[in-house]
Amino acid sequence: MKIGVLGTGAVGTAINSKLIELGHQVMIGSRDNTNEKAIEFVDKFDSNASSGTFEEAASFGEIIFNCIKGEFAVAVLKSVENSIQNKILIDISIPVDTSKGAPLSLIPELCNTNSLGEEIQKNLPDTKVVKTLNTMWSTLMTAPGTLKNGDHTNFICGNDDEAKATVKSLLNEIGWKDETILDLGDIVGSRGTEATVLLWLRIWGATIGTFSLKVVN
């Protein structure tokens, strides 16, 4: 499958590496096609890896991953809107406000009664937005079995059930078991999963080592 991954940070790099390992053709997208991080990343692989602009990666992919920083995500995605119409957009980003430094908070207009996932869907009505993988370390996103044999929870939400089923199949391929993927319903579920970053940061500050969340009932 051809997949476009927007963003060159730790999350984008982890997602790209796993997808290439699984045999998918991946294009990593950034603001311009001379991005050093993207070029260095692609040079590590013999095949199935390429780099380009956000627009080029969005056009290339049958499925798109949004790994852009939350504060810039909507503007970037709007700029490539025509290239992601009727496609599945897997949204991993979180609307963290980094302008004031620590302690971090969520962008006010993208929390409580709204979320980044919802805002993306509102701005891209013809794109099938699916929120997932945004409540854990980037390493766990693509290697869930490295912690408790994968016995922890990954949340998913979105308005299109068929799109969510496709994303669940891709998550299975990455290593997520069906019983560890919890469907929270429509894209409004993003309000909850994005807000967990505040708890996540506190847990991270109070513990040592890799951790994740698990729903027990």
Side-chain angles (χ1 to χ4, degrees), residues 95-100 105-115:
V96 174
D97 183 358
T98 61
S99 63
K100 300 179 180 65
S105 60
L106 295 174
I107 297 171
E109 59 269 28
L110 294 176
C111 62
N112 296 326
T113 58
N114 195 15
S115 64

Side-chain angles (χ1 to χ4, degrees), residues 72-97:
F72 308 120
V74 174
V76 171
L77 293 171
K78 280 291 290 179
S79 74
V80 300
E81 180 177 7
N82 291 337
S83 297
I84 55 178
Q85 282 185 337
N86 301 314
K87 294 181 180 179
I88 295 173
L89 175 72
I90 301 175
D91 176 33
I92 303 178
S93 58
I94 301 171
V96 174
D97 183 358

Side-chain angles (χ1 to χ4, degrees), residues 54-178:
F54 287 134
E55 176 65 40
E56 289 169 337
S59 297
F60 174 85
E62 300 166 64
I63 289 178
I64 313 300
F65 276 84
N66 171 34
C67 305
I68 301 165
K69 285 185 178 181
E71 54 203 311
F72 308 120
V74 174
V76 171
L77 293 171
K78 280 291 290 179
S79 74
V80 300
E81 180 177 7
N82 291 337
S83 297
I84 55 178
Q85 282 185 337
N86 301 314
K87 294 181 180 179
I88 295 173
L89 175 72
I90 301 175
D91 176 33
I92 303 178
S93 58
I94 301 171
V96 174
D97 183 358
T98 61
S99 63
K100 300 179 180 65
L104 296 178
S105 60
L106 295 174
I107 297 171
E109 59 269 28
L110 294 176
C111 62
N112 296 326
T113 58
N114 195 15
S115 64
L116 180 56
E118 289 173 85
E119 195 67 20
I120 292 171
Q121 186 64 86
K122 289 173 194 172
N123 279 273
L124 304 171
D126 296 324
T127 298
K128 302 166 186 177
V129 181
V130 178
K131 192 89 181 187
T132 192
L133 294 174
N134 68 306
T135 58
M136 66 200 72
W137 292 93
S138 57
T139 50
L140 281 181
M141 293 176 187
T142 57
T146 58
L147 178 64
K148 302 295 183 182
N149 196 32
D151 186 21
H152 45 100
T153 306
N154 178 29
F155 305 97
I156 188 171
C157 61
N159 295 343
D160 189 294
D161 288 338
E162 188 175 335
K164 284 193 288 186
T166 298
V167 174
K168 286 177 184 177
S169 293
L170 185 56
L171 290 171
N172 291 156
E173 192 178 348
I174 287 171
W176 288 94
K177 303 170 187 176
D178 282 334

Side-chain angles (χ1 to χ4, degrees), residues 12 14 16 23 29 32 34 41-42 48 58 66 79 106 108 140 143 168 173 183 196 203:
N16 273 297
D32 58 71
T34 60
F41 176 83
V42 170
N48 290 338
N66 171 34
S79 74
L106 295 174
L140 281 181
K168 286 177 184 177
E173 192 178 348
D183 192 335
T196 61
I203 295 173

